[in-house]
Amino acid sequence: MPANKSFTSRRYVINTIFVVIALVFIIRIFFLQIIEVSNKSSADNNVFRYITEFPARGLVYDRNGKPLLFNEVTYDLMVIPHQMGKNFDTLGFCKLIDTDIVTFRKKIKTATTYSNFLPTIYDEKIPKEQYGMLQERLSEYPGFYIQARTIRNYPQPYCAQILGYIGEITPDMLEDDEYYKPGDYIGISGLEKSYEKELRGKKGARIIMVDVHNRDMGSYMKGKFDVEAKAGQDLYTYLDIELQEYAEKLLANKRGSVVAIDPNTGGILAIASSPAYDPNLLVGRDRTKNYFELLSDKNLPLFNRALSGRYPPGSTFKPIVGLIGLQEGVLNTTITYPCYGGFPLGNGKMIKCHSHPSPLALLGAIQTSCNAYFCKVLKTTIENNHYPNTEAGFDAWRDYVLSFGLGNPLGVDLPSESGGNIPTSNYYNKSFGKGHWRALSVISIAIGQGEIQLTPLQLANVAAIIANRGYFFTPHIVKAIGSLDNLNKKYLIKKYTKVNPEFFNYIIQGMYGVVEGGTAHNIKMNNIQVCGKTGTVQNAGKNHSVFIAFAPKDNPQIAIAAVVENSGFGATWAAPIASLMIEKYLTHKVERLDMEKDIMDSKLINNY
Amino acid sequence: MRQPKNIFSNLDWPLVGMYVFFILVGWINIYAAAYNEEHKNVFDFSQEYGKQFMWIAISIVLILLVLILDAKFFSTFAYYIYIIAIAVLIVTLFIGSDVNGSRSWIYFSDSVRFQPLELAKFATNLVLAKFLGDIGVRMQDISTRLKAFVFIAIPAVLILFQNETGSMLVFASFIFVMYREGLSGNILILGFALIVLFIFTLLIDKLIVVGFITLAAIVFFFLINRSRKNILLYLFIYFLTIGFVFSVNGIYENVLQTHQKKRIDVFLGKVTDIKDKGYNVNQSKIAIGSGGLFGKGFLNGTQTKYKFVPEQYSDFIFCTIGEEWGFVGSGIVVVMYVLLLLRILFVAERQRSSFSRIYGYGLASIIFFHVMINIGMTIGLAPVVGIPLPFVSYGGSSMLSFTVLLFVFIKQDANRMQVL
Ligand SMILES: [Zn+2]
């Protein structure tokens, strides 16, 4: 006993050790439970499976209520790598989905690199036969489940470039918007892109609980925290699918575009770019292959020429030159200019003209498209004495031009619209030196050549402006969003040019003459009064054929521009196409079947 | 000499109360961890909680038996009980069934099995108390230390052969008993130092460790202990330490088995093995962490309910406590264990007989070690070795063994006045 007495104090050492260890534990538990909240979300991730409910994407209708696309439900096989567990029956699974182990491992590795804990698409758009079988047997393979998703489906093989397509979101798009998760689909081009926010709706989420074997244990709290998906809004467009189809058919096997606008609203009736493609090519399992085929096509079917293509307008620009001259007071309908086969540039060279009666006043000049006349008009406009110098005169002239919606993108509701080009005086100062250029230096812009470039959409809008006698609504596809009475507010503003409406009637009279007995008399119809202007655009290759028009002359219903690349005279290709479109739209049937057949059957595409 | 009026007089009620607390905590949480929708009845014998109830009932019978027996029974028969326990351990090595590589279970039927090493803990504690408690046995004697060491080592080695590393380590806890009875305090420090060295050597480059030791030795020598007398001993210890450092890899590579190495690696964070060994710890930390301050509530632990932690009702029962009862619940459990241990030590110190005191220390040491390792592994502070949480984890063998361990002590205490 006495021996033990001396060690009694050691009890305190032992007591202390016990207490210290306990304190360490309590601190550690405190950290785990209170400080490191991340464990909480890990726990959620373990037990909860957030099933995303994808809303039905909004549909798109044409002006007559015909759907331009449908939604189709497809099934994606999803995987959450960390739930697969170490006892995953790889062989059985590979057999089930008919794949080899190497592919399987590679895909799982990719999925794991993205996230071990979040679902990734393992395989998409599972065929219907496979879906039933998978649904039955998938419970044996933890970590895998099937998710429904809707994709697009197109009843008509047209409008591909307008509608655009949806595709899996890219990493940099993900950074811009928190709404999206990897694997989500987003509008990549066309209306799908510009109306993405309206079309996509709002994703919903269902929370279900799973056990360690990935078995569904029912919804969490009886669905109290589930969020219903909200369907996307439908788009009601001005498009006339029959007119669109007709445009694409007329343009078949040519490079070019047609844009038809209702001048009363700015609504786009048809906007075709050729070559076009069937929108169904870019959905479904082969879409990647199809996409690359389209991408590598030298005729650039994915490129929407109608709003991204820039062309010198050629003679179709002359009405604008005339209108500005009238507004500036340097021109009236009685002034005549002679034409001696062209417009001399003073250095022995000249802007050539074709043979026609001379001298001519404004009407005749438009009707015959006299180059000399409009060169003279431009010269008198920008070298007008009430401007201190040519540069100031040019700047004033340019302001008029811009007021026609040129030089900048119009703001159509489609992505990748180009603004064309209207050169600035700065540009010429750089080319010639400040104060060292005169109207003659830039005279080719008078006939829509030189640096001037317009998109077919801008050309059509110019036709609409003339049809309206001086104003326009920004061209747009979508009339209403969600319901027919919810108008697309952005496009209700009337925009006036800087030219007084009274002057337009002179030009219109001239353009009427173009079709009645001028350069485009070949497209004259007895029942419809069409006003038009041809353009034959010189460029590196064969001339582009350009034509702008509107009809009827009084109370116009359609304004149109057509461009056929490297084909020849404006009257040969673009004018008939525009004319047929007008006939189709206004009478709903085409009587000039020979002309229609000629155009449709022509294959210019092999000449390029 | 006073005769006790009945077997319940003089019982240390705080200890009994805490015992009841732990038993109930265990049962409730086993119910939650093993909860089966189709067998909701807590007495359903097909489920772990039903079986646990049966073990509780048997425990009560055993408690009565222990209390009825003469207080001297266990000290008198200590050696016999020890010999029987050792014999059963040896027999187990031959007839034991292989369960996950360990041969520590004897099966009586498919569902009735027994783990003799639980008996061995009790027996070793008894025999140590008996031996060290004998008048005339002094801890200072080399022979005493040697014999005590042998008493501990025999079952420990046999259990190691059964491949039950965790339970084997429990025997190391008797170091507290020896320390209390007079073993040099250096042994605790040395043991602690060796563990730290072992871990550091595996984690850091050996040369850096040697550098630190050398630096520490020089500082120690010049600042604290300038006497030249002990320089030889000093150098000896220094080179011994260095030798240990260089042999650590040898021990690690050659002595330890793959699964033990893996546990150490995972514990040290050298490999992150979320799927395998690290899986349990990771899931267990997730479960506990998700409990928050007040927990998710009884039967609401999603991690527990959906069985993300394997066999949670046995070794990982603390996860359930942490997830469903939160920091408050798990904190209370830890505090209660400390109170239990301190109470045992307090009661031990009031014993007149050395046997009872030493037995009490042994009891506290065993419980302490179990709690430390078990909770430690669920919160990632100790490697994963499968030993149960005393009184709480599911399982008959450990339940009965801890009950007997505790109540033999309570019985000794109840009769302490009868000891001369
Ligand atoms: Zn001329």
Side-chain angles (χ1 to χ4, degrees), chain A residues 1 3-19 21-34 36-37 39-40 42-44 46-48 81-86 116-117 209-213 217 220, chain B residues 140 176 179-185 188 275-276 279 283 285-286 288-293 296 302-303 306-308 318 322-323 326-327 330-331 334-335 338 341-342 345-346 349 352-354 357 361 364 368 371-372 375-376 379-381:
Chain A
M1 282 272 197
N4 287 323
K5 282 284 177 224
S6 58
F7 299 116
T8 309
S9 62
R10 291 192 168 183
R11 60 189 288 194
Y12 300 115
V13 176
I14 297 170
N15 275 321
T16 309
I17 292 173
F18 288 178
V19 172
I21 296 279
L23 275 179
V24 169
F25 278 24
I26 287 177
I27 292 167
R28 169 71 171 179
I29 295 168
F30 183 77
F31 267 85
L32 275 180
Q33 300 194 308
I34 313 292
E36 293 173 17
V37 200
N39 281 321
K40 209 161 195 149
S42 297
D44 286 351
N46 262 345
V47 179
F48 297 143
H82 103 282
Q83 287 183 354
M84 289 167 63
K86 56 180 168 179
N116 213 8
F117 293 93
M209 296 187 290
V210 291
D211 68 359
V212 68
H213 302 297
M217 306 304 279
Y220 177 61
Chain B
Q140 288 83 345
F176 287 115
Y179 170 70
R180 168 62 184 83
E181 294 308 310
L183 192 67
S184 163
L188 283 182
K275 279 270 175 270
D276 201 16
Y279 176 83
Q283 292 297 333
K285 275 156 71 181
I286 288 173
I288 293 175
S290 70
L293 183 58
K296 296 175 183 167
T302 47
Q303 297 291 294
Y306 300 130
K307 320 273 188 266
F308 279 91
F318 192 75
E323 189 183 13
F327 177 67
S330 44
V334 173
V335 168
V338 177
L341 291 171
L342 297 185
L345 294 189
F346 172 79
E349 287 293 344
R352 286 181 175 184
S353 87
S354 302
R357 182 187 64 246
Y361 267 85
F368 169 70
V371 173
M372 184 176 75
I375 297 183
I379 58 179
L381 284 182

Side-chain angles (χ1 to χ4, degrees), chain A residues 409-566:
Chain A
L410 284 164
V412 68
D413 49 354
L414 283 172
S416 2
E417 189 201 353
S418 163
N421 184 47
I422 306 297
T424 61
S425 52
N426 251 342
Y427 171 82
Y428 293 120
N429 285 341
K430 272 181 196 151
S431 305
F432 303 106
K434 196 171 167 70
H436 287 93
W437 55 279
R438 308 273 301 162
L440 283 186
S441 323
V442 302
I443 203 70
S444 60
I445 60 178
I447 55 165
Q449 296 282 162
E451 292 81 9
I452 291 209
Q453 288 180 329
L454 270 66
T455 64
L457 180 69
Q458 285 172 328
L459 279 170
N461 193 47
V462 166
I465 291 169
I466 299 169
N468 285 337
R469 280 78 171 164
Y471 68 87
F472 68 99
F473 295 97
T474 302
H476 56 292
I477 305 271
V478 174
K479 179 184 189 183
I481 301 164
S483 65
L484 271 167
D485 49 10
N486 181 31
L487 292 179
N488 201 354
K489 293 176 193 66
K490 259 168 73 184
Y491 296 101
L492 297 176
I493 306 154
K494 208 183 247 189
K495 295 178 177 172
Y496 283 89
T497 65
K498 292 186 164 183
V499 176
N500 288 348
E502 55 182 283
F503 298 121
F504 281 88
N505 282 320
Y506 306 132
I507 298 295
I508 288 169
Q509 212 51 48
M511 285 173 70
Y512 181 56
V514 167
V515 179
E516 286 298 308
T519 52
H521 60 89
N522 58 320
I523 62 160
K524 177 175 163 28
M525 285 176 280
N526 294 326
N527 52 346
I528 306 167
Q529 295 188 318
V530 177
C531 304
K533 182 73 196 78
T534 55
T536 303
V537 178
Q538 292 159 16
N539 67 98
K542 203 174 175 187
N543 292 339
H544 295 324
S545 170
V546 181
F547 190 71
I548 64 172
F550 64 89
K553 175 164 157 271
D554 304 312
N555 188 23
Q557 299 301 310
I558 178 169
I560 192 163
V563 176
V564 182
E565 290 180 19
N566 310 110

Side-chain angles (χ1 to χ4, degrees), chain A residues 338-342 352-358 360 368-373:
Chain A
C339 174
Y340 307 107
K352 281 186 188 141
C353 195
H354 49 93
S355 68
H356 57 77
S358 173
L360 287 170
T368 56
S369 198
C370 175
N371 286 342
Y373 184 91

